[in-house]
Amino acid sequence: MSDPAVPVLVQAETLVFDDDAGTVSAGLLATEVSENPALTVDQIIAILWPSPSAQPLLVGLIETANDADAPFRLVAIQTPEKLPPQLASVPRVAQLPTHLARGGGGVVDYVLSTKAGTGRAVPFWEAVLSPLLRFAAEALSQDTEPDHVVVTESNDSVREYARGKHAAAKDGPRTVVLLSGDGGVVDLLNSSPPEKEGKDEAAPPLLPTIVLIPLGTGNALFNSLHKPLFTGPSELVLALRTLLSGVAAPLPTFHASFPPGSRIVKYMNRDESSSGAETPSEVAAAEAQLYRHETDVAALHGSIVASYGFHASIVYESDTPAYRAHGAARFGMVAQELLKESHPYAAEVSIRRPGAGAGELERVPRDVHAYVLAALVSNLERTFTISPAGKPLDGQLRLVHFTPLGPERTMEAMMKAYDGGKHVDAQWEDGLRVHYDDIEELAIRVEDEEERWRKVCIDGTIVDIPKGGTVRVRREEKSRFNIVVDSRVI
């Protein structure tokens, strides 16, 4: 029996589509002995087909979540026959897209974030993405060799890579294929060099391009960009379709500034090898290795959310080995504990609405808050819609906020976010409700006495704010990166 992690290439005499099962498989010669896995339409990444005279190559991804040894398997089927009409919705790729093409001095790097999510970046690269690139190179007769493959070694590796590699290339475009979660994107955003003054505006520098392969926990940015396409394919199949056939578009961002004394707070492992702990004994050892790491910060760029209150506390208190072992479920586990306390977060919150002049801030009329979250995206998870009016790349900041509601009503509102974002219409007989506003700017003066509650979350990065300090969040007019998306969402 063959290694289940090794890609399968089947030379088919014909393609057989099983209408009852909804799968396509290879019709083999009777004398041929070979593995012949069937693929559903939703598992097919693309059909690599450079010309009508060439033999099309179907490539698909089989995911087996309960198989720890081989969670992914790449399958390729080549045939000289016509394609079944049932495959009409699968992307056809005749040549590499601009962001992967090597002409004009372009550079394509692959960054594998080993700390993202549950640590799947390296296995996915080895079992799926690297062999997919080889299949594409052979089928399309184009170069897909990476310029660099960077395997992260610490929480700072993406930033270290970015400071050295990702600035706009002088001789051509640079593409960063990021096997990561949202944290990898925020690391790239905050490691880009500042714009030089007096540059020639008639010939602006080429923006680096991000291709995101979602291997984090929530994958808010990816899921929001692909939300209109959630009709069957998995996140990873959608990501690979976008890699091979997507187009680059400017990534909307915001700028968050912090008062003096603000610090990025992380709990890090003295022993890096313990960060992937899974068994109870390993988790306990990893917890014992944790230490608090602080870094002064004046500003951050983000592309997802800026939050204060309940959401920021969930992100902050779930970032330990014991909780990370549970993947996305960790957020709900921490939320349940925080709801028992239902802390009222003391702050003065002000907003600037669209059309208001610079500095025309309107104060939210309350002194304590439960939830304050400004989003550039629609979804924090694939099924958790925080901002239902959000559209891919629309660049509009929207604020979700409400006063302390008590555990039951807070949970009711949060559960409605899993029902297509219906929380934004939630209201109760006593007049309390969830507020949802388009904004241009947000200011939060943090007044809590206890440090535990003075946390702000910027795209998953936690910043501790001194009492009386003000955080300001505003949309940025100029993009810092392009990001590759399916052309249907533009």
Side-chain angles (χ1 to χ4, degrees):
M1 186 174 179
S2 63
D3 184 345
V6 174
V8 177
L9 174 59
V10 181
Q11 298 290 345
E13 184 181 33
T14 60
L15 289 178
V16 179
F17 195 91
D18 185 331
D19 286 302
D20 293 331
T23 60
V24 63
S25 59
L28 304 174
L29 294 172
T31 57
E32 186 173 358
V33 178
S34 173
E35 284 191 271
N36 188 18
L39 294 169
T40 68
V41 173
D42 289 338
Q43 290 176 323
I44 301 175
I45 299 163
I47 299 169
L48 305 177
W49 199 3
S51 70
S53 62
Q55 293 188 6
L57 180 71
L58 279 69
V59 284
L61 176 63
I62 297 175
E63 300 170 68
T64 312
N66 58 0
D67 187 345
D69 295 328
F72 317 110
R73 192 162 204 200
L74 190 68
V75 175
I77 304 174
Q78 190 158 38
T79 178
E81 295 297 307
K82 292 177 62 176
L83 297 173
Q86 295 92 334
L87 302 185
S89 63
V90 177
R92 267 70 166 168
V93 177
Q95 61 182 10
L96 292 177
T98 302
H99 55 270
L100 291 184
R102 310 312 300 274
V107 173
V108 183
D109 292 345
Y110 293 78
V111 178
L112 285 51
S113 180
T114 60
K115 307 297 180 183
T118 53
R120 300 185 297 163
V122 171
F124 187 81
W125 167 258
E126 293 176 343
V128 179
L129 187 48
S130 180
L132 175 62
L133 294 174
R134 293 196 297 270
F135 282 141
E138 183 173 347
L140 305 177
S141 300
Q142 289 183 268
D143 182 12
T144 62
E145 187 69 22
D147 287 279
H148 305 91
V149 177
V150 179
V151 180
T152 66
E153 297 178 353
S154 73
N155 291 320
D156 293 323
S157 291
V158 175
R159 288 179 180 247
E160 291 169 359
Y161 156 79
R163 285 192 288 265
K165 297 291 183 185
H166 97 277
K170 293 180 180 180
D171 299 323
R174 179 179 296 276
T175 296
V176 181
V177 182
L178 188 60
L179 284 68
S180 177
D182 298 319
V185 178
V186 76
D187 283 345
L188 289 180
L189 285 176
N190 288 286
S191 302
S192 58
E195 281 191 1
K196 295 181 180 180
E197 295 184 3
K199 65 178 184 294
D200 181 5
E201 293 188 1
L206 292 169
L207 291 178
T209 296
I210 298 171
V211 182
L212 187 55
I213 308 295
L215 291 168
T217 303
N219 302 309
L221 180 59
F222 179 88
N223 284 322
S224 296
L225 292 174
H226 289 77
K227 184 176 181 178
L229 309 178
F230 286 170
T231 56
S234 70
E235 293 177 5
L236 291 173
V237 170
L238 284 175
L240 295 174
R241 287 183 177 183
T242 300
L243 172 72
L244 291 177
S245 59
V247 295
L251 174 65
T253 57
F254 61 81
H255 179 272
S257 60
F258 308 106
S262 299
R263 298 157 297 167
I264 294 175
V265 179
K266 294 181 181 179
Y267 285 93
M268 303 179 69
N269 290 295
R270 294 183 178 88
D271 178 8
E272 289 290 343
S273 65
S274 66
S275 62
E278 295 181 357
T279 69
S281 60
E282 289 173 342
V283 168
E287 296 282 6
Q289 289 287 330
L290 285 180
Y291 70 97
R292 181 180 170 112
H293 178 77
E294 299 181 355
T295 308
D296 292 339
V297 63
L300 287 172
H301 303 277
S303 61
I304 303 168
V305 296
S307 73
Y308 167 73
F310 188 63
H311 175 267
S313 292
I314 290 174
V315 176
Y316 171 61
E317 301 200 3
S318 67
D319 195 21
T320 67
Y323 280 119
R324 276 195 168 272
H326 297 280
R330 76 183 201 257
F331 299 126
M333 297 166 67
V334 172
Q336 291 291 343
E337 295 301 314
L338 289 169
L339 283 174
K340 294 175 183 177
E341 297 188 61
S342 290
H343 177 74
Y345 296 82
E348 179 181 305
V349 175
S350 302
I351 61 175
R352 179 165 62 89
R353 298 182 185 274
E360 293 183 13
L361 294 178
E362 170 189 330
R363 183 181 175 187
V364 175
R366 57 177 179 266
D367 296 323
V368 292
H369 309 262
Y371 200 94
V372 180
L373 184 147
L376 272 178
V377 299
S378 62
N379 284 53
L380 298 185
E381 301 170 21
R382 182 162 182 165
T383 58
F384 189 90
T385 304
I386 191 61
S387 179
K391 306 297 181 187
L393 305 172
D394 70 1
Q396 178 63 61
L397 267 176
R398 295 179 173 90
L399 183 69
V400 179
H401 60 107
F402 52 85
T403 192
L405 300 171
E408 291 185 6
R409 288 194 288 192
T410 300
M411 179 55 68
E412 179 185 345
M414 292 296 95
M415 292 309 296
K416 286 184 176 181
Y418 285 101
D419 187 17
K422 292 181 180 177
H423 62 294
V424 299
D425 299 318
Q427 53 186 325
W428 293 269
E429 292 181 355
D430 58 4
L432 296 181
R433 66 186 181 92
V434 173
H435 297 262
Y436 185 45
D437 302 293
D438 288 3
I439 63 170
E440 298 294 311
E441 186 177 351
L442 169 68
I444 306 169
R445 191 175 76 196
V446 178
E447 298 290 0
D448 247 297
E449 295 288 344
E450 189 177 347
E451 180 189 313
R452 177 188 179 189
W453 309 114
R454 298 199 306 265
K455 301 294 186 287
V456 170
C457 173
I458 307 296
D459 288 9
T461 296
I462 294 297
V463 180
D464 182 75
I465 309 298
K467 184 178 183 299
T470 299
V471 180
R472 298 185 183 277
V473 178
R474 58 172 175 78
R475 286 175 45 192
E476 292 187 300
E477 296 299 325
K478 293 184 178 180
S479 295
R480 306 174 69 83
F481 279 85
N482 289 325
I483 191 158
V484 175
V485 297
D486 189 291
S487 62
R488 291 172 291 176
V489 308
I490 297 179

